[in-house]
Structure formats: structure tokens, C-alpha cells
Amino acid sequence: EVFGNAQITDTSDNKLIQLDSDNSRLLLQDDVSLKLGTGGDFFAYHDGTQTLLRNNTGDVFIDQLADDKDIYLRCDDGSGGIANYIQLDGSATFIKLHQSFSVAEGKKFFLDGGSDTYITSDSADLVQYYVGNAEMMRMTEGSTDYVMIPDNVRLSVGTGNDLRIYHDGSNSSVENHTGNLYIDNNTD
């Protein structure tokens, strides 16, 4: 049983671990790992410059059990302050991204919880949209900017898909399925 301050030192009298009752903390010096679990499977480590948290077995869970409360991931704001980056909003069951984010080139941003509806970019100035693992649209910025709709994908306009424009690989079609089709030239 220890009351007050205590310390564990090495053979050179370096204070490796300090129980600091004045500040209500357990202090581990640089290069001393805090290991948890029988095999030391989870550990925290700081070398004076970098900090590492590592789990060597199973999953890692971070739980917020207070009703309608949030979890925030915060970081430096680039000006010496601190800013929210990711908020897990417990009251709204919503994830809020408070900062801009990017998806690395060639990686996919999935939208359906599965693996077949996503947005990707495998090169600079190109964005591709896939639904059901089929490319639906490609947007390219370059010497000639364009939006490309692949063969056999219809560009539909109107709530009932009343106007359809598509190319089947051999022929192009403009179809109007409701009312009249007008093409007007309104120049003077």
C-alpha cells in the first residue's frame, strides 16, 4: 500500500514511473511502455517525440455510454489551436466530418455499405461514379473538359424519365416519352 508520492527507478536512478499524488496522475517517462493484458497485447508508448497506441490481438472498441453524448477526434488546426475533425454524434446517430477530407488516388468511397456503389479517381482530374459495379458517369478536366456517360447508360430527364439520351455503342438516340419535344434557338 502506497500513500503520497512514489517512484520506480532503474539502476541509474532514472525515474521510470512516478505516482504523483499531488497532481493525481501516474507518470511514465519517455521510452517506457504501458502494457495491458496478460501478454501485453495492448500498449501505449511515447519516445519524447512520437506517441503510439497499439493492439496486437482482437478488436479495439471505443465506447461512449453517456446518453446523447458524442465522441470527438480532434487535432491541431494549423495555427496552434485545436479543431474538431470527426464527431460521432450520439444524439443524432450521425457522423460529422468537420474538416475537408480526401480519398487517396485509386481508392474507393463506398456509398451503399457494400462494395458495388462508389466514387473513385484513379488519376488526377478524373472522377468516376459506379452503381452496381457499372460505371455510370465519368468527369474529366483537361485540355478538353467533359462529362462522359458510357454506352447503354441513359441520361434521363424528368420525374418519369420522360426525356432519354443514350448511345448503345453503334447508334445515338434522343427519346421523348411525354408531350412535345422542342428544340429552340433563342439567339437574336
Side-chain angles (χ1 to χ4, degrees), residues 41-57:
D41 297 317
F42 179 81
F43 75 90
Y45 174 81
H46 183 74
D47 66 7
T49 305
Q50 308 290 335
T51 301
L52 172 68
L53 298 176
R54 177 177 289 158
N55 182 49
N56 292 322
T57 186

Side-chain angles (χ1 to χ4, degrees), residues 11-86:
T11 55
S12 300
D13 205 29
N14 295 316
K15 298 175 185 174
L16 301 178
I17 301 173
Q18 296 176 321
L19 178 59
D20 182 355
S21 64
D22 296 335
N23 296 302
S24 300
R25 65 182 179 179
L26 175 67
L27 183 63
L28 280 70
Q29 296 300 313
D30 292 344
D31 300 315
V32 175
S33 297
L34 172 64
K35 294 187 176 189
L36 303 173
T38 303
D41 297 317
F42 179 81
F43 75 90
Y45 174 81
H46 183 74
D47 66 7
T49 305
Q50 308 290 335
T51 301
L52 172 68
L53 298 176
R54 177 177 289 158
N55 182 49
N56 292 322
T57 186
D59 297 320
V60 175
F61 294 89
I62 299 172
D63 293 336
Q64 166 58 287
L65 300 178
D67 289 344
D68 297 329
K69 297 300 178 187
D70 304 341
I71 294 175
Y72 293 89
L73 182 59
R74 304 183 315 163
C75 192
D76 177 66
D77 66 0
S79 299
I82 193 164
N84 293 330
Y85 279 73
I86 299 174

Side-chain angles (χ1 to χ4, degrees), residues 142-161:
S143 58
T144 302
D145 302 337
Y146 65 90
V147 175
M148 188 272 292
I149 306 292
D151 290 344
N152 298 308
V153 175
R154 288 172 168 76
L155 175 62
S156 295
V157 180
T159 303
N161 299 318

Side-chain angles (χ1 to χ4, degrees), residues 92-116:
T93 61
F94 200 74
I95 298 172
K96 297 178 183 176
L97 301 176
H98 292 275
Q99 307 297 326
S100 298
F101 76 98
S102 66
V103 177
E105 186 174 298
K107 299 300 178 186
K108 299 172 182 175
F109 178 58
F110 292 97
L111 302 172
D112 63 349
S115 61
D116 62 359

